[in-house]
Amino acid sequence: MTKNLRVKSSEYIDETNRISFKFNGKTYHGFKGDTLASALLANNVHLVGRSFKYHRPRGIMTSGSEEPNAIVQVNPGTNRTEPNVRATEVEIYEGLEASSQNCWPSVEFDIGGINNFLSPFFPAGFYYKTFMWPASFWEKYEFFIRHSAGLGKSPTSSDPDIYDHRNIHCDVLVVGAGISGILAAKNAAKNDFKTLLVDEKNELGGSTVYENNEFNKIDNKTPSEWLKKEIEELKGIKNLEIKTRTSVAAYHQYNYLLARENLTDHLEAKEKTNKIRQRLLKIRAKKVILATGALERPLIFNNNDRPGIMLSSAIKKYSEFYGVVCGSKNVFFTNNDSAYESAMSLYNKGINVEAIIDIREQSESKIIKKVKEVGIKIYWSHTIVDTTGYKRLNSISTMKLSNDGTSVTGSKISISCDCLGVAGGWTPAVHLYTQSGSKLRFDEEKKVFLPNQNTSEQISVGSCGGDFKIDEIIKNLNQKLKDTLNINETDLDSIKVEIDQENSKRNIWLLPCDKPLGKTKPFVDYQNDATAKDIKLALREGFRSIEHVKRYTTTGMGTDQGKLGNMHALGIIADTAGVKMGELGTTTFRPPYTPLTFGTIVGRNVGKFFDIFRRTPMNDWHVENKAEFENVGQWKRAWYYPINGETMHQAVQRESKAARESAGILDASTLGKIDIQGSDASEFLNRVYTNAWSKLAIGKCRYGLMLNEDGMVYDDGVTTRLGENHYIMTTTTGGAANVLGKLEDYLQTEWPELDVYLTSVTDHYATASLCGPNSKKILKKIIPDLDLSDENFPHMSFKEAKIGNIKCRIMRISFTGEHSYEINIQASYGKDLWDKCIEAGKEFNITPYGTETMHLLRAEKGFIIVGQDTDGTMTPIDLQMDWIVSKKKYDFIGKRSLYRSDTMREDRKQLVGLLTEDPNIVLEEGAQIVSELNQSPIEMLGHVTSSYFSPNLNKSIALAVIKGGKDMMGKKLFVPMENKNINVTVSNPVFYDEKNERLNA
Amino acid sequence: MFLINCPYCGERDQQEFKAGGEAHIERPKQPTELSDDEWAEYLFMRKNIKGVQFERWNHAHGCRKWFNMVRDTSNDEIKAIYKMGEKPPAQ
């Protein structure tokens, strides 16, 4: 049944290299160099998919990335499967499998095809109108919509391929390697500009390499012959890097572009292994030359979507480039001369061209004369009013256009054919241009949007800049190159061009029909099944903005982003609403120009490289001792150390008891540490903390609270005075970078007169925190000659000491309320320090504890954690920490805000303790707190911020923020949960050792 | 993605920088003397102009220095960059 439609040998097709592939389960053959589309067409397969809404049979329509219909699932059922791939872009290889999407059970017989006959019930905005009522049904509707929609299937197993990123800096980036791009790149590189030339195809040359109009000549050669010689010359040029199979996806400001380089998609499975599949190029170019070409437009007429109806330029490319003819009985339908070139291409290969339907009244170019000479019938002033053939075109019918082009007259002529080439003129591919933020203008004469105001150093050359004829292209390219590269002469100065001058065109956005619009199906957006009728309906319903019409009708919203039909949609809107195209503007073209795989976007940032993380010098010990880890900012912190299959709760209860009864040890290396030096260091601390620092003696430590200028608590930590002008500040683990940034900000911008220098030393020191009644004995064992008496080394003081020969800094400070020491040592000795502590602590059953136990212990003491008990809306007063706010200091960051009417409200949320009536019930963090259960709605008074079961108190404890909580001591409140209301009592937030007796125990 | 000419390091990619909001809003020297409204004006009120705006930027993943930028927020054109303490260019 399949016949080979290969008509001639093509230099781009290697007929000695026969390749077999499967499409919808059936085996076909093609040759090396074929795309999936060209190979299918060579096997006379046009029907490749079903449309999205009506499930109409659809065929291959184009030969490039603008393809709306032939989107397929590649390698279905494998871990390399990929949906929504355009068959026109897939290069075939041995073993390739592909299947149609959006059809069930098969593309030949699709049950959804019934939608086509129900189409009167699927107007524009159908989903919006139908599935809105009743609102409570939405979940049910959504289930069905999601299941019937959807193009293709995503892979379900992890991606086996490697992806990569590369940064490229160049003087000139040329996008598109058609005739303009090649000449631009060649001249830029020859003039010593470091140049990168990229093209999405696997071969250079664009459409000119198969340009066959015998009346166009460059230096007396056909354009294709001439360009091939130019391509050959590119090879020897220094400064020029060429990347094929590379598609620019996005053009951002300041000439920053993202491109996807495809490296292995065209290779057989066995050749793909251990190679980079796709690479994201991040290109920063001094100058950008866009040579992205133009896309041929279809024409909008009744039933213009049947398999076999293709762009005229695609028919020419399949014939000239791939040596494939798309039909045996061909008709062309056009409004300009390009269809005649395609017709001649077929005629020259002995293929029948039945007729050319031209909506123009006449045209007298050389190519038309030639077409007439060879006897192809031309129907001037005619339009197609209908087509027939369900799975493949079998006829068209044409009628004469009225003089004004708004209606048809006379009798209908039917022409039998199996392929129709449609030529509606050319649309410059300005997508990347507009992504850069540059502005377009509408050219009334050419009926296209053209580059107008550039926002960066860029030019658009060739047909994307509005030059469609080779003589215009060369002339304007030459001038633009000289201007933008600031050079006096180019290769182009001496080129002689002869062309077939006629360039007439008649533009009718929506072609008339003998039937009323309501009874026709003129598709504007093939992929989303949006017709001219839908657009007009949207306008009747009151939509005016082009962006609204787009969303309501879904025109231009498919994976092809309306590359084919957008101009017609705009034209139809302009004509119907009676406005000019230029006033209407265009919809926004957003990146990516062609879809990117997720793999390309993430590159090598997968698995353990997904995000940066930091480990402490003691990490190996935690791992060996089976710690569970917690992410704190970028740090991996030991969370708890389960032994003998303990649950987290069991481990934390054990660790917490041990730390208070004998000794515990915590890896505190992650705390932020900022070294502060300079003659104004004390003054600086006075300004950034709420309490006073000038009188802190050398060798003493002090807790500080830092606010934002709005008076809200920002960070906290202990700062130690190491010398007259030298302090070391500790910050919260997560806040370290931001605190440093904030301090730098004030130093550089508000107080440049202060002599202060800040250095982050977080990574330079490892910190082991020894805690519990036996901590002193353990430290004594490690550093026998250090006097640990309360007189010499009291709470909140600092000593420098040596462990062996290694200097360390020891602070006697406590976050647990126990007698404890924080030992800081050069990071590279962190593990040794830890081992020494564990060894020395053995006889006291020293227990390593993680962050969870640390949180529990500090909650027993009512110590806050910034970010857990505060949320950016808590002042120190709200936290009942009035004691730390200096009344004497004239100013500090946030001071003035503490006296704003809002921050002084009595009913602000304030930090309190919360005890449950049943001591065994542990509240959920985040749970709401109320005083009345019979209100509607119930007033929320606040929420639980920290909650634990305290093993040392043998009851549940919690911290909470409650409106006016300060004055509610002893008050009974409720925490309403899903199944029950929990009775709670407001209490002092300090649950354990209120008098701080244990600090000196 | 902007290309920002750090006055200390030269041209660098935007991802090395952090935006710091409107520039030339000086912290009042005597906050306690201000009324609630005057303090709120300093604390909260920002112009957020569509057009030419004076901004603070920080080379956070570079030299950590703050500097000023004049940027047209409608098209992201950077019109000038100058160090902290220097006079803004005349408009």
Side-chain angles (χ1 to χ4, degrees):
Chain A
M1 170 190 152
T2 56
K3 53 181 172 180
N4 196 334
L5 296 174
R6 206 69 68 163
V7 283
K8 67 147 198 179
S9 54
S10 154
E11 61 192 283
Y12 298 101
I13 297 294
D14 178 3
E15 291 197 33
T16 63
N17 195 344
R18 194 161 173 265
I19 286 169
S20 63
F21 64 97
K22 276 188 180 169
F23 183 67
N24 285 336
K26 201 173 156 189
T27 302
Y28 297 94
H29 294 98
F31 298 115
K32 186 84 192 158
D34 265 326
T35 62
L36 180 58
S38 70
L40 287 171
L41 289 169
N43 287 283
N44 201 21
V45 177
H46 275 256
L47 172 63
V48 289
R50 292 276 177 160
S51 71
F52 187 61
K53 198 155 86 180
Y54 305 129
H55 291 250
R56 282 168 71 102
R58 290 280 164 82
I60 297 160
M61 186 154 188
T62 73
S63 59
S65 60
E66 70 272 34
E67 177 60 41
N69 293 340
I71 47 178
V72 297
Q73 180 95 27
V74 172
N75 296 321
T78 71
N79 57 0
R80 282 205 169 91
T81 190
E82 190 178 350
N84 302 334
V85 180
R86 288 158 300 281
T88 49
E89 292 195 303
V90 178
E91 295 172 49
I92 61 164
Y93 50 84
E94 192 64 37
L96 169 72
E97 287 192 38
S99 64
S100 300
Q101 297 182 166
N102 204 33
C103 54
W104 186 83
S106 79
V107 70
E108 293 285 339
F109 177 74
D110 176 16
I111 284 194
I114 193 140
N115 286 2
N116 186 34
F117 305 103
L118 299 175
S119 65
F121 307 110
F122 288 98
F126 170 73
Y127 292 106
Y128 299 112
K129 288 168 184 160
T130 310
F131 296 119
M132 292 309 294
W133 317 103
S136 60
F137 268 47
W138 170 246
E139 283 181 17
K140 287 200 171 61
Y141 290 143
E142 192 188 12
F143 178 84
F144 287 105
I145 292 172
R146 294 225 183 275
H147 278 74
S148 61
L151 294 161
K153 291 189 168 60
S154 55
T156 50
S157 54
S158 92
D159 192 328
D161 286 313
I162 306 165
Y163 299 83
D164 197 22
H165 286 182
R166 179 183 159 195
N167 287 300
I168 297 181
H169 296 264
C170 59
D171 295 327
V172 176
L173 169 70
V174 183
V175 185
I179 184 166
S180 313
I182 285 170
L183 294 175
K186 190 177 168 193
N187 279 285
K190 276 187 164 177
N191 282 284
D192 288 335
F193 291 93
K194 189 184 165 204
T195 305
L196 174 66
L197 171 65
V198 301
D199 194 279
E200 61 182 3
K201 298 264 173 17
N202 58 334
E203 295 281 352
L204 300 179
S207 62
T208 310
V209 291
Y210 53 90
E211 180 59 62
N212 63 341
N213 185 335
E214 59 190 285
F215 304 108
N216 290 338
K217 288 272 180 342
I218 305 177
D219 287 344
N220 285 322
K221 293 190 175 114
T222 63
S224 62
E225 261 181 287
W226 182 83
L227 188 62
K228 281 170 198 163
K229 177 187 61 86
E230 291 288 313
I231 292 170
E232 203 52 39
E233 284 175 19
L234 287 179
K235 283 174 189 158
I237 301 179
K238 273 194 302 179
N239 289 326
L240 177 62
E241 184 177 2
I242 300 174
K243 287 193 173 292
T244 54
R245 299 189 177 100
T246 300
S247 166
V248 174
Y251 187 167
H252 297 292
Q253 300 141 321
Y254 291 82
N255 283 349
Y256 181 69
L257 297 92
L258 297 175
R260 182 217 54 215
E261 184 183 16
N262 224 331
L263 297 159
T264 65
D265 277 0
H266 60 292
L267 301 177
E268 283 179 46
K270 63 178 184 208
E271 292 173 39
K272 292 184 205 274
T273 321
N274 293 329
K275 284 185 188 149
I276 292 163
R277 179 190 172 204
Q278 293 174 343
R279 183 182 279 134
L280 186 71
L281 308 178
K282 302 174 180 181
I283 307 166
R284 183 75 78 172
K286 292 209 176 93
K287 294 169 198 288
V288 173
I289 299 179
L290 294 173
T292 47
L295 301 172
E296 189 166 45
R297 293 177 199 167
L299 289 164
I300 310 301
F301 55 97
N302 185 24
N303 287 322
N304 58 344
D305 65 325
R306 301 192 186 282
I309 300 180
M310 305 174 71
L311 292 181
S312 151
S313 58
I315 292 175
K316 178 164 119 185
K317 178 161 190 186
Y318 286 117
S319 150
E320 294 288 329
F321 190 90
Y322 298 104
V324 172
V325 282
C326 300
S328 45
K329 289 198 301 190
N330 296 275
V331 172
F332 287 90
F333 182 26
T334 187
N335 68 2
N336 68 92
D337 278 5
S338 21
Y340 293 83
E341 294 179 1
S342 305
M344 281 312 294
S345 167
L346 295 184
Y347 176 85
N348 288 337
K349 290 174 187 67
I351 307 298
N352 280 344
V353 177
E354 307 292 315
I356 298 177
I357 321 283
D358 196 323
I359 68 172
R360 297 177 294 181
E361 276 156 25
Q362 61 155 14
S363 177
E364 284 303 321
S365 61
K366 289 177 189 163
I367 184 100
I368 289 177
K369 283 184 188 145
K370 181 88 187 175
V371 164
K372 284 179 181 165
E373 264 172 47
V374 303
I376 298 171
K377 168 94 178 136
I378 304 172
Y379 292 87
W380 294 108
S381 274
H382 270 66
T383 184
I384 293 181
V385 292
D386 205 357
T387 65
T388 63
Y390 187 56
K391 290 180 198 166
R392 177 74 187 265
L393 181 70
N394 61 32
S395 80
I396 57 123
S397 42
T398 178
M399 288 173 80
K400 195 162 173 45
L401 270 172
S402 65
N403 286 342
D404 62 359
T406 58
S407 59
V408 285
T409 59
S411 55
K412 213 186 280 190
I413 303 160
S414 179
I415 304 169
S416 143
C417 59
D418 60 1
C419 189
L420 174 69
V422 182
W426 296 84
T427 303
V430 292
H431 307 73
L432 290 175
Y433 175 81
T434 57
Q435 281 180 24
S436 74
S438 300
K439 296 278 179 282
L440 299 168
R441 69 179 170 85
F442 188 71
D443 185 310
E444 279 295 341
E445 191 199 330
K446 290 179 176 167
K447 298 285 176 200
V448 291
F449 282 98
L450 292 178
N452 193 27
Q453 274 179 304
N454 301 348
T455 53
S456 58
E457 283 214 54
Q458 57 169 303
I459 49 172
S460 292
V461 300
S463 54
C464 76
D467 299 329
F468 297 106
K469 291 266 167 191
I470 289 178
D471 58 336
E472 284 175 346
I473 291 173
I474 305 270
K475 184 173 139 248
N476 292 333
L477 171 63
N478 196 13
Q479 195 53 49
K480 285 175 180 174
L481 281 178
K482 285 176 178 174
D483 293 344
T484 194
L485 301 178
N486 201 16
I487 51 177
N488 293 324
E489 49 187 57
T490 71
D491 284 0
L492 310 182
D493 290 334
S494 57
I495 294 176
K496 286 190 192 64
V497 182
E498 284 168 51
I499 63 150
D500 191 7
Q501 273 300 343
E502 180 74 22
N503 194 20
S504 75
K505 186 179 171 184
R506 183 184 189 187
N507 202 78
I508 301 174
W509 295 117
L510 171 60
L511 289 157
C513 184
D514 57 332
K515 289 185 202 155
L517 183 65
K519 301 235 185 270
T520 64
K521 287 222 175 61
F523 287 93
V524 175
D525 182 314
Y526 298 85
Q527 196 176 96
N528 277 336
D529 274 350
T531 65
K533 192 163 60 178
D534 295 322
I535 291 170
K536 292 210 171 198
L537 176 65
L539 290 165
R540 277 206 306 282
E541 291 184 1
F543 289 91
R544 283 296 173 269
S545 153
I546 171 71
E547 296 286 358
H548 290 161
V549 174
K550 167 181 164 174
R551 280 155 185 78
Y552 193 57
T553 60
T554 70
T555 304
M557 288 172 67
T559 60
D560 59 330
Q561 288 285 292
K563 290 188 181 74
L564 290 186
N566 257 1
M567 286 299 290
H568 300 93
L570 294 170
I572 292 165
I573 294 167
D575 286 353
T576 310
V579 295
K580 287 195 167 139
M581 295 274 282
E583 293 165 24
L584 199 64
T586 62
T587 54
T588 312
F589 299 116
R590 291 195 174 80
Y593 178 65
T594 49
L596 288 175
T597 59
F598 284 117
T600 312
I601 295 167
V602 297
R604 296 190 185 258
N605 300 324
V606 291
K608 62 180 177 179
F609 302 116
F610 179 68
D611 198 9
I612 295 167
F613 56 83
R614 301 162 83 183
R615 295 192 188 284
T616 74
M618 291 79 138
N619 185 72
D620 287 353
W621 192 94
H622 307 322
V623 173
E624 280 161 28
N625 288 274
K626 310 282 189 293
E628 292 291 330
F629 286 85
E630 172 182 40
N631 294 330
V632 183
Q634 292 172 331
W635 289 99
K636 297 276 177 198
R637 293 198 72 177
W639 192 12
Y640 58 96
Y641 300 81
I643 48 178
N644 302 328
E646 278 176 331
T647 62
M648 173 167 164
H649 176 75
Q650 289 164 339
V652 169
Q653 296 290 304
R654 172 182 52 76
E655 291 171 12
S656 303
K657 266 186 107 68
R660 292 221 189 276
E661 285 172 2
S662 176
I665 183 168
L666 171 83
D667 181 356
S669 307
T670 62
L671 284 182
K673 296 176 267 299
I674 300 171
D675 186 271
I676 304 173
Q677 301 193 40
S679 56
D680 293 317
S682 303
E683 170 63 15
F684 180 65
L685 289 175
N686 267 336
R687 296 188 192 185
V688 301
Y689 277 134
T690 61
N691 46 351
W693 291 78
S694 310
K695 288 181 186 151
L696 183 70
I698 294 170
K700 296 288 179 195
C701 315
R702 183 166 288 172
Y703 173 76
L705 203 56
M706 200 181 286
L707 309 186
N708 258 332
E709 205 65 272
D710 62 7
M712 304 304 157
V713 171
Y714 183 70
D715 204 81
D716 69 345
V718 171
T719 294
T720 303
R721 191 167 196 173
L722 301 174
E724 177 63 27
N725 299 321
H726 190 188
Y727 290 84
I728 186 147
M729 173 188 279
T730 57
T731 72
T732 57
T733 296
N738 288 335
V739 169
L740 180 67
K742 178 183 152 100
L743 298 184
E744 279 285 1
D745 186 355
Y746 275 91
L747 263 185
Q748 289 179 35
T749 69
E750 299 292 352
W751 308 319
E753 72 280 5
L754 293 186
D755 175 39
V756 177
Y757 303 90
L758 306 175
T759 311
S760 167
V761 292
T762 304
D763 292 322
H764 304 49
Y765 289 97
T767 309
S769 176
L770 275 178
C771 127
N774 286 319
S775 57
K776 191 174 179 176
K777 291 176 200 157
I778 297 168
L779 187 59
K780 190 77 198 166
K781 281 177 72 180
I782 302 170
I783 315 176
D785 52 355
L786 182 63
D787 178 0
L788 295 179
S789 67
D790 285 349
E791 295 70 42
N792 183 57
F793 197 176
H795 180 60
M796 297 308 273
S797 66
F798 154 85
K799 292 284 173 222
E800 209 156 57
K802 275 186 173 178
I803 301 176
N805 287 324
I806 312 304
K807 262 196 220 166
C808 60
R809 290 170 171 175
I810 305 171
M811 282 88 165
R812 185 172 161 194
I813 53 178
S814 175
F815 191 39
T816 59
E818 294 298 316
H819 189 124
S820 58
Y821 301 93
E822 282 189 7
I823 312 167
N824 294 274
I825 199 161
Q826 195 180 313
S828 51
Y829 294 102
K831 175 78 175 1
D832 300 331
L833 169 68
W834 186 268
D835 288 340
K836 271 199 157 52
C837 292
I838 296 284
E839 183 59 35
K842 254 186 191 158
E843 61 177 292
F844 306 102
N845 185 30
I846 192 169
T847 303
Y849 65 92
T851 51
E852 192 63 23
T853 292
M854 175 185 82
H855 286 183
L856 194 164
L857 294 173
R858 65 86 209 179
E860 289 178 338
K861 286 293 294 173
F863 293 150
I864 58 155
I865 289 186
V866 174
Q868 175 160 345
D869 303 297
T870 72
D871 60 0
T873 66
M874 302 294 287
T875 70
I877 319 300
D878 298 338
L879 293 172
Q880 307 218 47
M881 290 173 78
D882 313 43
W883 54 270
I884 202 171
V885 180
S886 164
K887 302 277 186 298
K888 289 185 194 145
K889 282 200 292 182
Y890 180 70
D891 193 13
F892 57 81
I893 296 171
K895 171 162 178 166
R896 175 62 185 82
S897 290
L898 298 179
Y899 304 95
R900 292 178 61 236
S901 56
D902 186 59
T903 43
M904 296 203 326
R905 274 190 300 115
E906 290 294 318
D907 63 343
R908 289 177 63 83
K909 285 184 182 170
Q910 289 143 359
L911 185 82
V912 294
L914 220 50
L915 293 169
T916 48
E917 194 179 83
D918 176 347
N920 292 313
I921 296 179
V922 179
L923 296 171
E924 263 182 49
E925 288 174 358
Q928 294 292 325
I929 300 159
V930 304
S931 62
E932 291 288 334
L933 291 167
N934 299 320
Q935 273 176 332
S936 181
I938 302 180
E939 191 197 356
M940 309 284 192
L941 292 180
H943 64 276
V944 178
T945 59
S946 295
S947 175
Y948 306 90
F949 186 84
S950 161
N952 298 301
L953 297 160
N954 202 26
K955 66 178 178 188
S956 151
I957 57 166
L959 298 175
V961 291
I962 298 181
K963 281 183 192 165
K966 219 181 269 189
D967 299 323
M968 283 191 186
M969 285 309 124
K971 194 169 159 94
K972 297 212 180 308
L973 298 172
F974 307 98
V975 174
M977 299 303 289
E978 208 171 358
N979 305 319
K980 60 186 171 196
N981 297 313
I982 302 167
N983 297 335
V984 295
T985 308
V986 179
S987 74
N988 184 334
V990 184
F991 301 100
Y992 188 79
D993 185 28
E994 207 178 326
K995 293 183 181 148
N996 290 330
E997 285 160 347
R998 301 185 63 83
L999 286 173
N1000 295 313
Chain B
M1 199 74 88
F2 310 164
L3 192 62
I4 298 174
N5 192 8
C6 170
Y8 304 93
C9 310
E11 283 190 335
R12 295 289 190 279
D13 192 276
Q14 186 187 346
Q15 63 185 0
E16 294 183 16
F17 297 84
K18 231 168 132 172
E22 195 177 327
H24 304 299
I25 298 174
E26 199 183 342
R27 186 174 190 270
K29 291 268 183 298
Q30 290 160 326
T32 45
E33 322 265 299
L34 300 183
S35 68
D36 270 12
D37 283 352
E38 286 167 329
W39 180 246
E41 182 71 27
Y42 159 71
L43 200 55
F44 302 120
M45 304 314 276
R46 298 294 182 268
K47 293 200 196 86
N48 196 21
I49 296 162
K50 181 179 180 185
V52 176
Q53 177 164 286
F54 291 72
E55 301 176 333
R56 289 152 24 97
W57 283 76
N58 181 227
H59 195 184
H61 299 283
C63 64
R64 279 174 30 202
K65 285 280 196 184
W66 284 87
F67 57 89
N68 292 313
M69 181 191 287
V70 186
R71 180 175 67 106
D72 187 330
T73 58
S74 66
N75 61 11
D76 288 327
E77 187 193 343
I78 297 171
K79 293 183 173 293
I81 281 175
Y82 53 101
K83 292 178 181 175
M84 281 292 157
E86 287 180 357
K87 270 203 178 131
Q91 275 303 295

